[in-house]
Amino acid sequence: MSTASVANHDAAHDHGDHEHHDNFVTKYIFSQDHKMIAKQYLVTGMFWALLGGFLSVLFRLQLGFPDMDMSFLRPILGGWIDETGHLDPTFYLALVTMHGTIMVFFVLTAGLSGTFSNFLIPLQIGARDMASGFMNMLSYWLFFISGVIMFISLFIKTGPASGGWVVYPPLSALEQAIPGSGLGMTLWLVAMTFFIASSLMGGINYITTVINLRTRGMSFSKLPLTIWAFFLTAVIGLLSFPVLFAAALLLVFDRSFGTSFYLSDIYIGGEALPNTGGSPVLYQHLFWFLGHPEVYIVLLPALGITSEVISTNSRKPIFGYKAMIISLLGITVLSFVVWAHHMFVSGMNPFLGSIFMFLTLIIAVPSAVKVFNYLTTLWRGNLIFTPAMLFSIGLVSFFISGGLTGIFLGSSAIDIQLHDTYFVVAHFHLVMGSASFFGMLAGVYHWFPKMFGRMMDAKLGYIHFWLSFVGVYMVFFPMHYIGIAGFPRRYYSFTNFEFTNMYTDLNMFVSVAAIITFLAQFIFLFNFFYSMYKGRKATLNPWQSNTLEWTTPLHPGHGNWPGEIPAVYRWPYDYSKPGAEDDFIPQTVPLSATPESNLPHEQELVKVELEIMKEEEEVLVSNDAKH
């Protein structure tokens, strides 16, 4: 271990030595404790998930039952339900826009990374807290402010942003285009500015903490795959979110200051606008430079959680630990060079399209490595089907089925036919939306005992899983067929077209399945809040896991460990090791204490271990001298 790392660790230890006398405000509201901030992200994310899901129920009612009288929704939607009891077509676009924005950014980016990166990074690397507790707190409250602004936009007279979650210009750049392009679009841009600032602050904190605050012995080769995933997710966000900010800033200039970055040769009501020289395709390039890495900002944390849960509940070492890390690194790099596969129909040079098609198909390789390694870890393992394990297996299922349809969309020739149809909707809801959502739920079920000191009800967890798992496939599998048949996205009604009218029954089936799946999430909500107060009390290590977070007290205080932070001597996946007394060996158990199960190369590492122990003694002596 380097001198700098020892010094950093000393600083972290000193941080844990002084007592934190928190009042209600500093403990629960403006907390700088990473565990409380994680819970704030989680509960806020759950609120947004409910709201985003409710919006999807509203537009699925419109798609599945286009002739239905929706007057019963007037107390909620007010004037957006017209006198005949039908949903306003403009508000339908707003529902789709806000659903996408909420789910992608507020739930699966902030809710997922904000919760588990905050909660697990210090606990699993052996740190007292994040590198900057203040920046961590600020990150959450910027996210909260962003959410408040976005929420307010739902209630303004002209309605929220209505240009799709990608807010392409010129629709989003011209206030007179549609009602949602006015104040609602302005509020969307302001909210996203706060959100981007929040994400960047969080990312800087996560990266700095992982690099500088690892405990003694915790080399990068001993990090759990969860930490690798959170670390690389933060790197992706740090490099890509500023580009989205640039795109939004130029859009603000076009909307408010008369510039023409995205506008040219536009006529409204027969009158030519003065804007010339701009290109809406420029916005697409800037947006998708964030937009495709965003897929992996959402996916990688869920995959990291799944790696931990599957290994723990298979009672087997994760198969191909190094290959998993290399595949994460490969995905991180390749995610930045495939963005234009979203733009095959934008008029790009076919040769350039073929390059992006090649790169898109290559990114399937590291993704496939992860899938095969999950399956091989499960193969012949002593499987324990906890709710977290089921949701992790569900993620693998969605990752396979949704990933396979990505191969079709990655081919430029096929994508020209399928672009902007429900086939695309089905693809990304399976591979990105549902897979990541299941990873998030797996994480909640798995680390709930460490968060709250109690266990969630397993039976309710099983019911929640099966309703959600079957429901997701019932919603999105039929969408592939109606997409191949030519159903376009974002259409308010399909009853006016003969070629789409024949699939009315299938649309109705999808809508019913979507409503049932949404209602199933209330089982989870009840289980979550009931178990928080009335659940069975957890033991220190209920899953018999190897990672460091299970060495803390049942209710760890601010600083995590009451005394010395434990040192690490082995990798985190020593499960069912031949010769070992138990089927798990925590990272804190020295190799010298398990000679009966050590592999030949581990016997060589005993010498390194003795050096770590010597450093540990030196740190203890120096701390004693300070006191």
Side-chain angles (χ1 to χ4, degrees):
M1 178 185 261
S2 68
T3 307
S5 297
V6 174
N8 285 327
H9 188 274
D10 287 345
H13 175 73
D14 292 341
H15 171 74
D17 278 346
H18 68 263
E19 294 180 21
H20 293 264
H21 299 290
D22 291 330
N23 56 37
F24 180 84
V25 172
T26 57
K27 186 174 182 180
Y28 294 107
I29 301 175
F30 298 112
S31 175
Q32 294 189 28
D33 182 354
H34 70 99
K35 299 181 292 298
M36 184 55 65
I37 293 170
K39 292 172 190 176
Q40 290 175 324
Y41 268 110
L42 178 58
V43 173
T44 309
M46 285 163 62
F47 165 78
W48 282 112
L50 272 181
L51 182 58
F54 177 67
L55 298 182
S56 71
V57 166
L58 293 179
F59 64 71
R60 277 313 320 178
L61 283 173
Q62 167 60 37
L63 289 169
F65 310 95
D67 299 322
M68 183 174 71
D69 186 346
M70 294 191 189
S71 300
F72 66 95
L73 289 171
R74 194 170 283 126
I76 301 172
L77 300 182
W80 297 114
I81 301 292
D82 64 24
E83 291 154 5
T84 63
H86 290 96
L87 186 69
D88 185 280
T90 306
F91 193 66
Y92 172 84
L93 293 176
L95 289 173
V96 174
T97 301
M98 296 306 288
H99 167 75
T101 302
I102 288 168
M103 289 304 202
V104 172
F105 294 114
F106 288 8
V107 179
L108 295 176
T109 301
L112 180 51
S113 277
T115 298
F116 291 103
S117 294
N118 265 309
F119 190 76
L120 290 177
I121 286 176
L123 287 172
Q124 289 196 337
I125 69 170
R128 294 291 182 192
D129 206 321
M130 284 290 179
S132 171
F134 178 78
M135 187 185 285
N136 207 13
M137 176 192 73
L138 200 58
S139 171
Y140 170 74
W141 283 104
L142 285 175
F143 165 54
F144 187 85
I145 291 168
S146 167
V148 168
I149 295 169
M150 197 69 79
F151 190 70
I152 288 171
S153 76
L154 293 169
F155 299 98
I156 60 176
K157 187 176 181 182
T158 52
S162 307
W165 78 277
V166 295
V167 296
Y168 281 171
L171 190 61
S172 60
L174 301 170
E175 294 189 16
Q176 64 269 44
I178 51 174
S181 290
L183 179 58
M185 190 65 236
T186 302
L187 290 174
W188 190 97
L189 289 166
V190 173
M192 287 307 299
T193 302
F194 278 100
F195 180 84
I196 292 165
S198 163
S199 298
L200 293 177
M201 282 186 176
I204 292 168
N205 223 353
Y206 305 150
I207 293 167
T208 307
T209 305
V210 172
I211 291 175
N212 291 321
L213 295 183
R214 288 168 287 123
T215 189
R216 295 182 299 283
M218 181 64 86
S219 62
F220 271 88
S221 61
K222 292 176 186 167
L223 285 176
L225 288 171
T226 41
I227 303 301
W228 273 104
F230 300 149
F231 176 72
L232 293 172
T233 299
V235 170
I236 295 173
L238 202 60
L239 295 174
S240 59
F241 268 115
V243 181
L244 178 64
F245 177 74
L249 189 64
L250 298 184
L251 188 54
V252 170
F253 285 167
D254 275 12
R255 287 172 55 82
S256 305
F257 301 109
T259 58
S260 301
F261 291 106
Y262 305 135
L263 301 173
S264 184
D265 305 321
I266 294 173
Y267 292 81
I268 293 184
E271 289 188 26
L273 298 185
N275 307 84
T276 56
S279 170
V281 176
L282 169 63
Y283 175 87
Q284 291 190 34
H285 280 292
L286 292 173
F287 179 88
W288 287 115
F289 191 82
L290 167 277
H292 200 79
E294 171 66 20
V295 171
Y296 296 101
I297 290 171
V298 164
L299 255 177
L300 290 189
L303 294 174
I305 289 167
T306 296
S307 301
E308 183 67 28
V309 173
I310 284 181
S311 181
T312 300
N313 291 290
S314 297
R315 312 312 293 166
K316 275 180 67 180
I318 193 79
F319 184 86
Y321 174 77
K322 289 182 180 176
M324 293 290 256
I325 294 171
I326 292 168
S327 68
L328 284 170
L329 290 166
I331 287 170
T332 300
V333 173
L334 288 170
S335 69
F336 286 100
V337 291
V338 296
W339 79 88
H341 67 219
H342 296 271
M343 301 167 57
F344 284 144
V345 298
S346 65
M348 69 160 58
N349 186 307
F351 177 71
L352 189 61
S354 66
I355 292 172
F356 278 102
M357 180 180 78
F358 175 69
L359 292 168
T360 300
L361 297 179
I362 283 179
I363 206 171
V365 175
S367 302
V369 167
K370 299 196 77 62
V371 166
F372 287 125
N373 285 9
Y374 289 140
L375 296 178
T376 318
T377 304
L378 290 166
W379 178 251
R380 302 190 73 176
N382 296 322
L383 305 184
I384 303 169
F385 290 109
T386 63
M389 180 66 153
L390 290 176
F391 275 101
S392 295
I393 294 170
L395 178 150
V396 176
S397 172
F398 295 150
F399 198 51
I400 293 170
S401 53
L404 287 173
T405 57
I407 296 173
F408 295 95
L409 294 171
S411 169
S412 54
I414 301 173
D415 181 71
I416 289 169
Q417 307 302 319
L418 296 175
H419 188 83
D420 261 351
T421 67
Y422 269 84
F423 192 92
V424 178
V425 177
H427 159 71
F428 75 75
H429 274 85
L430 276 180
V431 79
M432 183 181 87
S434 301
S436 301
F437 214 93
F438 268 46
M440 186 176 180
L441 290 168
V444 172
Y445 279 106
H446 189 74
W447 280 288
F448 190 88
K450 181 50 58 185
M451 287 183 178
F452 302 105
R454 294 182 181 270
M455 305 292 288
M456 292 183 77
D457 186 89
K459 289 180 181 176
L460 288 177
Y462 296 141
I463 296 168
H464 175 221
F465 167 75
W466 284 111
L467 286 174
S468 299
F469 182 73
V470 174
V472 165
Y473 271 124
M474 291 299 98
V475 171
F476 298 115
F477 212 80
M479 280 190 190
H480 291 94
Y481 294 100
I482 61 177
I484 291 170
F487 265 50
R489 297 169 67 181
R490 305 189 180 102
Y491 272 41
Y492 166 78
S493 173
F494 295 103
T495 51
N496 298 330
F497 307 98
E498 191 175 337
F499 84 99
T500 56
N501 208 17
M502 62 188 287
Y503 287 102
T504 303
D505 292 345
L506 203 52
N507 253 323
M508 194 182 301
F509 175 83
V510 168
S511 292
V512 171
I515 293 166
I516 293 171
T517 307
F518 174 70
L519 293 175
Q521 306 318 304
F522 286 92
I523 299 171
F524 167 76
L525 278 179
F526 170 79
N527 196 358
F528 182 88
F529 288 107
Y530 180 83
S531 300
M532 194 188 297
Y533 299 103
K534 300 287 188 180
R536 179 169 54 88
K537 287 188 177 178
T539 56
L540 274 179
N541 190 357
W543 316 121
Q544 297 188 316
S545 193
N546 291 339
T547 41
L548 279 179
E549 73 269 27
W550 305 107
T551 64
T552 62
L554 192 60
H555 296 283
H558 193 172
N560 297 333
W561 287 269
E564 279 293 316
I565 298 175
V568 164
Y569 301 98
R570 59 180 73 233
W571 77 322
Y573 300 109
D574 268 342
Y575 293 106
S576 301
K577 200 171 183 185
E581 294 179 10
D582 298 313
D583 74 342
F584 72 107
I585 309 175
Q587 287 188 279
T588 53
V589 175
L591 291 167
S592 55
T594 58
E596 70 281 352
S597 64
N598 287 348
L599 299 172
H601 77 277
E602 289 174 328
Q603 288 295 107
E604 297 290 324
L605 293 173
V606 171
K607 298 173 186 175
V608 179
E609 182 181 285
L610 294 173
E611 291 179 14
I612 295 173
M613 288 179 169
K614 187 178 178 183
E615 283 187 2
E616 194 170 6
E617 286 176 15
E618 290 172 359
V619 170
L620 283 169
V621 169
S622 66
N623 284 332
D624 289 340
K626 287 178 185 176
H627 294 298

